[in-house]
Structures are given as C-alpha cells and as structure tokens.
Amino acid sequence: MRFVLRLVRIVFTLLRYGVDELALSGFREHRIRMLAGVLTLGRRFELPPGVRLRMALERLGPIFIKFGQVLSTRRDLLPLEIADELARLQDRVPPFPAVQARAIIEAELRQPLEAVFAEFDDVPVASASVAQVHFAVLRDGREVAVKVLRPGMLAVIDDDLAILHLLARWVERLSADGRRLRPREVVKEFDVYLHDELDLVREAANAAQLRRNMADLPLIIVPEMHWDLCTRNVCVMERMTGVPISQVARLRDAGVDIKKLARDGVTIFFTQVFRDGFFHADMHPGNIQVSVEPQTFGRYVALDFGIIGTLTETDKEYLAQNFIAFFRRDYKRVAELHVESGWVPPSTRVDALEGAIRAVCEPQFDRPLKDISLGQVLMRLFQTSRRFNVEIQPQLVLLQKTLLNVEGLGRQLDPDLDLWTTAKPFLERWMDEQIGGRALLRRLKDEAPHYARLLPELPRLLHDALAGRIGHTSRPTDDTALLAEMLREQRRTNRLLAGLTWGVAGFLLGALAARYALLWAGT
C-alpha cells in the first residue's frame, strides 16, 4: 500500500510540473511527440522545462534531489540547459530532531552519549539529504564532527529506487531514443552510488585513503577518522574549521593569496587524478573550505567523502593516448581510439568522427591559453557524443564532471587562471610514467615477484602436461589450464624484455651517435 501511495504522489507531481511532456517531447518518433501533445492539452507551463524538472525533484524529496544531482553530471545524455538547471539542486533538507540523532549514536556506539563525548551540540552544523553533522568534544578534549545517517533512510531509498527502476523500464519501452539514453543503466549507477553513500564506514575509508595519499602535499587537509567510533550509521572525525571557498571577499580580507589558491586547487586535483588515480569527486563549494589557522594558513580543507572517483591502469592508458593525440592534433587517432575502446559502434565512420572532433578542438589551439574554457570544450564533446552514440564510461564522466567543478572554482577565484599551463607538468609526467621507459621499468619491477614464483615451475608443468597428454589421462586438466596461464605470462615477459632491450639499444645507439657527432664537430 505504501508503494502504491508513493507512486501516485510521484505521478501526480510529475504531471503537475509537466515532466511527462518534457520527457516525451525529447523523442524523435512522431507518435511519441503526438502523445506528448495530447497529454499537455489544457495545461500551460510558463516556466522553462529545466526549472520545472528541478522544482518537481525538489518537491519529491531528498532521494529525487540526489538523483537530479547525479543526473546533472550526465551531460552526454541531457540537453545542456536542463543539465545546468539540475546542477543548481542543493542538499538543503530540514534536520531531523537531535533526540533521534542521540538515540542513533548511542545505539551504534553501544554506550551512553556522555561516556563518549564531554560536549555534544544538539544543533546540527550541516543537514543534507542522507545525513547531518553535529559538532562535539571527546572526553579527552579533542574536537570532533559527528556525522549521523538519517533514520529510516534505507527503506525510503529502496522504495523510491524501485519506482525509479520501474519508470526507467517504461522509458526504454517507449522508443529507440529511450533505449539510447540507457535509463536503466543510469538508475542502476545511481542505485550503487547511493547505497555506497549510506555506508559511513566506506566514506571514512575513502577519507583515510585520501589523507594518506595527500600526506606529502602541503596544500590540503583531510580530517582524521576516529575508527573506534565509526559504524555504518555514525562516523566521528576530526573537526575541521575554515572559510567556505565561495566566500572570496572574506578570504581576501584574511590575507589569503587568491591567485595562489586557484593554482593550488588545480594542483591538488591533478595530483589526485594523474598520480594516485583516486580523487575527491564532489568538489563543489559546500565541500571545500580554506584554513585561516596560523599552522595551516591558506590550505584547502576537504569535506564529505561519499563520492570518490577512481581510475584503473586501463583508464589511465586510454586517457594518456588521447592526451597525446590531442596535443599532436591527431584527431584521426582520437577517433580510432573511440572505436577500438568500444565507445562508439564498430560501424562508425572514423573520418566522420574525426571531422566532428576536429571541429570541437581545433579552434581552441589557435586561441590564447588563458582564453580556453575546458568546460566549453567538454560540452561540445558531449554534444558530439550524442550524435555518434558514444557510450561514455561512468568513471570518466565523474572525472569530467569534477574537472568542470575544478575549472569553475578556479575561475571564480582567478578569472585569468590558465588551467592548461598549470596542469601541463602533471600531464607530461603522467604520460611519461604511463607509456615511457619509466613505465616499462616500473611494470617489470611490479611483476618480478610474480615471475620469480611462476617461472621455476614452468619446466615441471610442461613435463606434466606433455606426459598427461601422451598417457591420455584426465589428470592434467588443471595443469593444462595453469600451463596456458604460464605461457601467457611467458609471452608477456618476452614482450616486456624485448621492449626493454630495444629501449636500451636505442639509448646506446643514440648516445653513440651523439658522441660521434661531438667528435665530428670538434674536428
């Protein structure tokens, strides 16, 4: 009964704000557009479609607000004006009573509140869609922030997600356009992300990893987690104090170098992405502060680690090849990489995709670097991706969304910020580490223990496999599988050694040629 009532309220709200007309009018099929026209008879909407969609999601509550925020990052799927409007959604949710917060904390920590905290502020300092934060003081005098999950959130989320899955199936069945937008995959991605955010132990682990990664970069502060006080529904961390990064005038009055702050933000982001492959993916102004304390003056203060982006070695290699091709203006190679990676259908004409990418990127190279907007480039690329049915990978969409946030923050602080020049040293070093000689040596070093264990067993495995095959026994089945793995490892080793050999040979030949050139010049 609860599910039905919730579904009725959702449908009524969508009809009230004309979201049905907005969704159906986006399809190219004539019959679908006619249906949209019939549904809008007798209804007049004065506000723009994006505004109506945002208002409907706000009306439907925290889960739909969160869904709108996630959907706003999928600019490869939405018109830009709607994505921009959804990006304005804020987690301004009324807090739940302090009595409930205290009860949850005591139940999770299995002891009275007074046994853990000397002081506890009943008024939350922040209240979001899935949790709220209270300041407190531990019995030993350390100041902390206590994050508490909203009560009953899991049941509410599961109900709303079930409805979203149902709506996504309906959209897919309506037309080919619905299938191209992949609504079920979007909802599934949102499902995973939201359930991960409900686990505060996972968020604490993200913070701990980021704090460890950033320990040698004196530009950012990440709070320390108190692991003995962290559970799935409660997380206790070091209390952070700072000025919100959006309050530029206040920061300038405090003596903070705003231009340096902008450059530091770019440095932090590209270090997380290109060095660690582990980055804070929710860098909006509400989650970023700046310390004005004497010991940490001018450093960034990172908050809220529910959304963390990661990049695999494959992602990095793909990005490295794309960056090299872009810097060389080799748009054909960029198009070929899209086909090779499966981002576009195999039937895609490489020359057509090459021309579209050239039209987006070529004008940027002929402009001063400070006048290039990476955000505009990405938006044009998203439009191109819709034309060619490009399947954007979720982890890279998260990277692109965060990059837009970083550029927006940077230009807010310093309108003349040159994002490309600031990022160039990281890109060059990263590409060298990914595909250069340094990468080859690192991979050989990483794989050495594996080869040291497996290679001595190769003769015995070859003998056992051959003996088993000659004897027509069934015993060597497992060994044969292991043998196949060994042979693959051996071929991989041979390729690495061959590459190393050619690299050393090339280096020696180059050195020898340089020496003879110097001798020739001396004579």
Side-chain angles (χ1 to χ4, degrees), residues 329-368:
R329 303 194 190 189
D330 187 355
Y331 305 117
K332 181 179 180 181
R333 181 54 185 156
V334 176
E336 290 173 345
L337 286 168
H338 278 65
V339 176
E340 291 172 7
S341 65
W343 278 30
V344 295
S347 58
T348 301
R349 287 182 51 186
V350 173
D351 59 336
L353 182 57
E354 175 192 356
I357 295 174
R358 180 184 294 110
V360 172
C361 299
E362 190 64 24
Q364 305 299 330
F365 284 100
D366 295 327
R367 300 168 59 190

Short mmCIF file of all heavy atoms in Angstrom, two decimals, residues 329-368:
data_model
loop_
_atom_site.label_atom_id
_atom_site.label_comp_id
_atom_site.label_asym_id
_atom_site.label_seq_id
_atom_site.Cartn_x
_atom_site.Cartn_y
_atom_site.Cartn_z
N ARG A 329 47.33 17.10 -32.26
CA ARG A 329 46.23 17.40 -33.19
C ARG A 329 45.97 16.23 -34.13
O ARG A 329 45.57 16.43 -35.28
CB ARG A 329 46.52 18.67 -33.98
CG ARG A 329 46.77 19.91 -33.14
CD ARG A 329 46.70 21.15 -33.98
NE ARG A 329 47.17 22.31 -33.22
CZ ARG A 329 47.08 23.55 -33.64
NH1 ARG A 329 46.55 23.82 -34.81
NH2 ARG A 329 47.52 24.56 -32.91
N ASP A 330 46.19 15.03 -33.62
CA ASP A 330 45.96 13.81 -34.41
C ASP A 330 44.53 13.34 -34.14
O ASP A 330 44.30 12.39 -33.40
CB ASP A 330 46.98 12.74 -34.02
CG ASP A 330 46.91 11.51 -34.92
OD1 ASP A 330 46.00 11.47 -35.80
OD2 ASP A 330 47.76 10.61 -34.76
N TYR A 331 43.55 14.01 -34.73
CA TYR A 331 42.16 13.73 -34.45
C TYR A 331 41.72 12.37 -35.01
O TYR A 331 40.79 11.76 -34.49
CB TYR A 331 41.27 14.84 -35.01
CG TYR A 331 41.67 16.20 -34.50
CD1 TYR A 331 42.14 17.19 -35.37
CD2 TYR A 331 41.63 16.50 -33.15
CE1 TYR A 331 42.52 18.42 -34.91
CE2 TYR A 331 42.01 17.74 -32.68
CZ TYR A 331 42.46 18.71 -33.55
OH TYR A 331 42.86 19.93 -33.08
N LYS A 332 42.41 11.92 -36.06
CA LYS A 332 42.09 10.59 -36.58
C LYS A 332 42.40 9.53 -35.53
O LYS A 332 41.63 8.58 -35.35
CB LYS A 332 42.89 10.32 -37.85
CG LYS A 332 42.60 8.95 -38.46
CD LYS A 332 43.39 8.73 -39.74
CE LYS A 332 43.07 7.35 -40.33
NZ LYS A 332 43.84 7.10 -41.57
N ARG A 333 43.52 9.70 -34.82
CA ARG A 333 43.89 8.73 -33.78
C ARG A 333 42.88 8.77 -32.63
O ARG A 333 42.53 7.73 -32.07
CB ARG A 333 45.29 9.01 -33.26
CG ARG A 333 45.78 8.04 -32.19
CD ARG A 333 45.67 6.61 -32.65
NE ARG A 333 46.03 5.66 -31.59
CZ ARG A 333 45.60 4.40 -31.56
NH1 ARG A 333 44.82 3.94 -32.53
NH2 ARG A 333 45.94 3.60 -30.58
N VAL A 334 42.41 9.97 -32.30
CA VAL A 334 41.39 10.09 -31.26
C VAL A 334 40.14 9.31 -31.66
O VAL A 334 39.56 8.57 -30.86
CB VAL A 334 41.04 11.57 -30.99
CG1 VAL A 334 39.90 11.67 -29.98
CG2 VAL A 334 42.25 12.31 -30.48
N ALA A 335 39.72 9.47 -32.91
CA ALA A 335 38.53 8.75 -33.40
C ALA A 335 38.77 7.25 -33.38
O ALA A 335 37.89 6.47 -32.99
CB ALA A 335 38.19 9.23 -34.81
N GLU A 336 39.97 6.84 -33.81
CA GLU A 336 40.28 5.40 -33.81
C GLU A 336 40.26 4.83 -32.39
O GLU A 336 39.81 3.70 -32.18
CB GLU A 336 41.66 5.17 -34.44
CG GLU A 336 41.69 5.43 -35.93
CD GLU A 336 43.11 5.36 -36.50
OE1 GLU A 336 44.07 5.40 -35.70
OE2 GLU A 336 43.24 5.27 -37.73
N LEU A 337 40.75 5.60 -31.43
CA LEU A 337 40.72 5.14 -30.04
C LEU A 337 39.30 4.94 -29.55
O LEU A 337 39.01 4.01 -28.78
CB LEU A 337 41.45 6.15 -29.14
CG LEU A 337 42.98 6.16 -29.25
CD1 LEU A 337 43.55 7.37 -28.54
CD2 LEU A 337 43.56 4.87 -28.66
N HIS A 338 38.38 5.81 -29.97
CA HIS A 338 36.98 5.66 -29.58
C HIS A 338 36.40 4.36 -30.14
O HIS A 338 35.63 3.67 -29.46
CB HIS A 338 36.16 6.86 -30.07
CG HIS A 338 36.23 8.05 -29.17
ND1 HIS A 338 37.39 8.74 -28.96
CD2 HIS A 338 35.28 8.67 -28.41
CE1 HIS A 338 37.16 9.73 -28.10
NE2 HIS A 338 35.89 9.71 -27.76
N VAL A 339 36.77 4.02 -31.37
CA VAL A 339 36.27 2.79 -31.97
C VAL A 339 36.92 1.57 -31.31
O VAL A 339 36.25 0.59 -30.96
CB VAL A 339 36.54 2.78 -33.49
CG1 VAL A 339 36.10 1.45 -34.11
CG2 VAL A 339 35.80 3.93 -34.17
N GLU A 340 38.24 1.63 -31.10
CA GLU A 340 38.97 0.50 -30.51
C GLU A 340 38.48 0.19 -29.09
O GLU A 340 38.43 -0.97 -28.68
CB GLU A 340 40.47 0.81 -30.49
CG GLU A 340 41.11 0.85 -31.87
CD GLU A 340 42.54 1.35 -31.81
OE1 GLU A 340 43.05 1.54 -30.67
OE2 GLU A 340 43.15 1.56 -32.87
N SER A 341 38.12 1.24 -28.35
CA SER A 341 37.69 1.04 -26.97
C SER A 341 36.23 0.61 -26.86
O SER A 341 35.76 0.28 -25.77
CB SER A 341 37.89 2.33 -26.17
OG SER A 341 37.05 3.36 -26.67
N GLY A 342 35.51 0.62 -27.99
CA GLY A 342 34.10 0.25 -27.95
C GLY A 342 33.18 1.36 -27.52
O GLY A 342 32.01 1.13 -27.23
N TRP A 343 33.69 2.59 -27.49
CA TRP A 343 32.86 3.71 -27.08
C TRP A 343 31.82 4.07 -28.13
O TRP A 343 30.80 4.66 -27.81
CB TRP A 343 33.73 4.93 -26.78
CG TRP A 343 34.33 4.92 -25.42
CD1 TRP A 343 34.67 3.82 -24.68
CD2 TRP A 343 34.69 6.05 -24.63
NE1 TRP A 343 35.22 4.20 -23.49
CE2 TRP A 343 35.24 5.56 -23.43
CE3 TRP A 343 34.60 7.42 -24.83
CZ2 TRP A 343 35.70 6.40 -22.43
CZ3 TRP A 343 35.06 8.25 -23.83
CH2 TRP A 343 35.60 7.75 -22.64
N VAL A 344 32.12 3.77 -29.38
CA VAL A 344 31.18 4.02 -30.46
C VAL A 344 30.95 2.72 -31.20
O VAL A 344 31.79 1.80 -31.14
CB VAL A 344 31.70 5.10 -31.43
CG1 VAL A 344 31.84 6.44 -30.76
CG2 VAL A 344 33.03 4.68 -32.04
N PRO A 345 29.82 2.57 -31.88
CA PRO A 345 29.55 1.33 -32.62
C PRO A 345 30.65 1.05 -33.65
O PRO A 345 31.23 1.99 -34.22
CB PRO A 345 28.21 1.62 -33.32
CG PRO A 345 27.57 2.68 -32.48
CD PRO A 345 28.69 3.52 -31.96
N PRO A 346 30.96 -0.23 -33.90
CA PRO A 346 32.02 -0.57 -34.86
C PRO A 346 31.76 -0.03 -36.26
O PRO A 346 32.69 0.16 -37.04
CB PRO A 346 32.00 -2.12 -34.85
CG PRO A 346 31.36 -2.49 -33.57
CD PRO A 346 30.38 -1.41 -33.26
N SER A 347 30.48 0.22 -36.58
CA SER A 347 30.14 0.70 -37.92
C SER A 347 30.38 2.20 -38.09
O SER A 347 30.19 2.74 -39.18
CB SER A 347 28.67 0.40 -38.22
OG SER A 347 27.82 1.01 -37.25
N THR A 348 30.80 2.89 -37.03
CA THR A 348 31.00 4.33 -37.09
C THR A 348 32.10 4.68 -38.10
O THR A 348 33.16 4.05 -38.12
CB THR A 348 31.40 4.88 -35.71
OG1 THR A 348 30.36 4.59 -34.78
CG2 THR A 348 31.61 6.39 -35.77
N ARG A 349 31.84 5.66 -38.94
CA ARG A 349 32.85 6.12 -39.89
C ARG A 349 33.90 6.94 -39.15
O ARG A 349 33.60 7.98 -38.56
CB ARG A 349 32.21 6.96 -40.98
CG ARG A 349 31.39 6.19 -41.98
CD ARG A 349 30.84 7.10 -43.05
NE ARG A 349 31.85 7.95 -43.66
CZ ARG A 349 31.59 8.93 -44.53
NH1 ARG A 349 30.33 9.17 -44.87
NH2 ARG A 349 32.58 9.66 -45.04
N VAL A 350 35.14 6.47 -39.19
CA VAL A 350 36.21 7.14 -38.47
C VAL A 350 36.42 8.55 -39.00
O VAL A 350 36.66 9.50 -38.22
CB VAL A 350 37.52 6.31 -38.57
CG1 VAL A 350 38.69 7.09 -37.98
CG2 VAL A 350 37.36 4.98 -37.86
N ASP A 351 36.31 8.73 -40.34
CA ASP A 351 36.55 10.06 -40.89
C ASP A 351 35.49 11.06 -40.44
O ASP A 351 35.78 12.24 -40.20
CB ASP A 351 36.61 10.00 -42.41
CG ASP A 351 35.33 9.45 -43.02
OD1 ASP A 351 34.60 8.72 -42.31
OD2 ASP A 351 35.06 9.73 -44.20
N ALA A 352 34.23 10.60 -40.29
CA ALA A 352 33.17 11.50 -39.83
C ALA A 352 33.39 11.89 -38.37
O ALA A 352 33.24 13.07 -38.00
CB ALA A 352 31.81 10.83 -40.00
N LEU A 353 33.74 10.92 -37.54
CA LEU A 353 34.01 11.21 -36.13
C LEU A 353 35.25 12.10 -36.01
O LEU A 353 35.28 13.03 -35.18
CB LEU A 353 34.21 9.91 -35.35
CG LEU A 353 34.46 10.03 -33.85
CD1 LEU A 353 33.33 10.79 -33.17
CD2 LEU A 353 34.62 8.65 -33.22
N GLU A 354 36.26 11.83 -36.83
CA GLU A 354 37.46 12.67 -36.83
C GLU A 354 37.12 14.12 -37.15
O GLU A 354 37.59 15.05 -36.48
CB GLU A 354 38.45 12.13 -37.87
CG GLU A 354 39.68 13.00 -38.05
CD GLU A 354 40.50 12.59 -39.27
OE1 GLU A 354 40.15 11.60 -39.93
OE2 GLU A 354 41.49 13.28 -39.56
N GLY A 355 36.27 14.33 -38.15
CA GLY A 355 35.89 15.68 -38.52
C GLY A 355 35.13 16.39 -37.42
O GLY A 355 35.33 17.59 -37.17
N ALA A 356 34.25 15.66 -36.72
CA ALA A 356 33.48 16.27 -35.64
C ALA A 356 34.39 16.67 -34.48
O ALA A 356 34.23 17.75 -33.89
CB ALA A 356 32.40 15.29 -35.16
N ILE A 357 35.34 15.81 -34.13
CA ILE A 357 36.26 16.13 -33.04
C ILE A 357 37.16 17.30 -33.43
O ILE A 357 37.45 18.18 -32.60
CB ILE A 357 37.11 14.88 -32.68
CG1 ILE A 357 36.20 13.77 -32.13
CG2 ILE A 357 38.19 15.23 -31.67
CD1 ILE A 357 36.91 12.46 -31.89
N ARG A 358 37.60 17.34 -34.68
CA ARG A 358 38.43 18.45 -35.14
C ARG A 358 37.68 19.78 -35.02
O ARG A 358 38.23 20.79 -34.60
CB ARG A 358 38.86 18.23 -36.59
CG ARG A 358 39.75 19.38 -37.12
CD ARG A 358 40.10 19.21 -38.59
NE ARG A 358 40.94 18.03 -38.80
CZ ARG A 358 40.53 16.91 -39.40
NH1 ARG A 358 39.27 16.82 -39.86
NH2 ARG A 358 41.34 15.90 -39.55
N ALA A 359 36.39 19.76 -35.36
CA ALA A 359 35.59 20.98 -35.30
C ALA A 359 35.47 21.50 -33.87
O ALA A 359 35.36 22.71 -33.64
CB ALA A 359 34.20 20.73 -35.89
N VAL A 360 35.50 20.59 -32.90
CA VAL A 360 35.41 20.99 -31.49
C VAL A 360 36.74 21.52 -30.98
O VAL A 360 36.80 22.57 -30.32
CB VAL A 360 34.94 19.81 -30.62
CG1 VAL A 360 35.03 20.17 -29.14
CG2 VAL A 360 33.52 19.41 -30.98
N CYS A 361 37.82 20.83 -31.29
CA CYS A 361 39.10 21.09 -30.64
C CYS A 361 40.01 22.07 -31.38
O CYS A 361 40.76 22.82 -30.75
CB CYS A 361 39.86 19.78 -30.42
SG CYS A 361 38.97 18.60 -29.38
N GLU A 362 39.96 22.05 -32.71
CA GLU A 362 40.92 22.86 -33.47
C GLU A 362 40.83 24.35 -33.14
O GLU A 362 41.87 25.01 -32.99
CB GLU A 362 40.71 22.64 -34.97
CG GLU A 362 41.79 23.25 -35.83
CD GLU A 362 43.17 22.63 -35.60
OE1 GLU A 362 43.23 21.47 -35.15
OE2 GLU A 362 44.17 23.34 -35.84
N PRO A 363 39.63 24.95 -33.00
CA PRO A 363 39.58 26.38 -32.68
C PRO A 363 40.26 26.73 -31.36
O PRO A 363 40.73 27.87 -31.19
CB PRO A 363 38.07 26.68 -32.61
CG PRO A 363 37.44 25.61 -33.44
CD PRO A 363 38.28 24.40 -33.24
N GLN A 364 40.33 25.78 -30.44
CA GLN A 364 40.92 26.07 -29.14
C GLN A 364 42.43 26.26 -29.22
O GLN A 364 43.01 27.01 -28.44
CB GLN A 364 40.59 24.94 -28.15
CG GLN A 364 39.11 24.63 -28.02
CD GLN A 364 38.30 25.81 -27.52
OE1 GLN A 364 38.79 26.64 -26.77
NE2 GLN A 364 37.04 25.88 -27.94
N PHE A 365 43.08 25.57 -30.17
CA PHE A 365 44.53 25.65 -30.24
C PHE A 365 45.02 26.98 -30.79
O PHE A 365 46.17 27.34 -30.61
CB PHE A 365 45.07 24.50 -31.11
CG PHE A 365 45.07 23.18 -30.42
CD1 PHE A 365 44.07 22.26 -30.66
CD2 PHE A 365 46.08 22.84 -29.53
CE1 PHE A 365 44.07 21.02 -30.01
CE2 PHE A 365 46.10 21.62 -28.88
CZ PHE A 365 45.09 20.71 -29.12
N ASP A 366 44.17 27.69 -31.48
CA ASP A 366 44.55 28.96 -32.07
C ASP A 366 44.18 30.16 -31.19
O ASP A 366 44.24 31.30 -31.64
CB ASP A 366 43.90 29.12 -33.45
CG ASP A 366 44.41 28.08 -34.43
OD1 ASP A 366 45.60 27.71 -34.32
OD2 ASP A 366 43.63 27.62 -35.28
N ARG A 367 43.82 29.90 -29.95
CA ARG A 367 43.46 30.97 -29.03
C ARG A 367 44.46 31.01 -27.88
O ARG A 367 45.12 30.01 -27.59
CB ARG A 367 42.05 30.74 -28.46
CG ARG A 367 40.96 30.69 -29.52
CD ARG A 367 39.66 30.17 -28.95
NE ARG A 367 39.17 30.99 -27.84
CZ ARG A 367 38.16 30.63 -27.05
NH1 ARG A 367 37.56 29.47 -27.23
NH2 ARG A 367 37.77 31.44 -26.09
N PRO A 368 44.62 32.17 -27.23
CA PRO A 368 45.50 32.22 -26.05
C PRO A 368 45.05 31.20 -25.00
O PRO A 368 43.84 30.99 -24.81
CB PRO A 368 45.32 33.66 -25.54
CG PRO A 368 44.84 34.42 -26.73
CD PRO A 368 44.02 33.46 -27.53
#
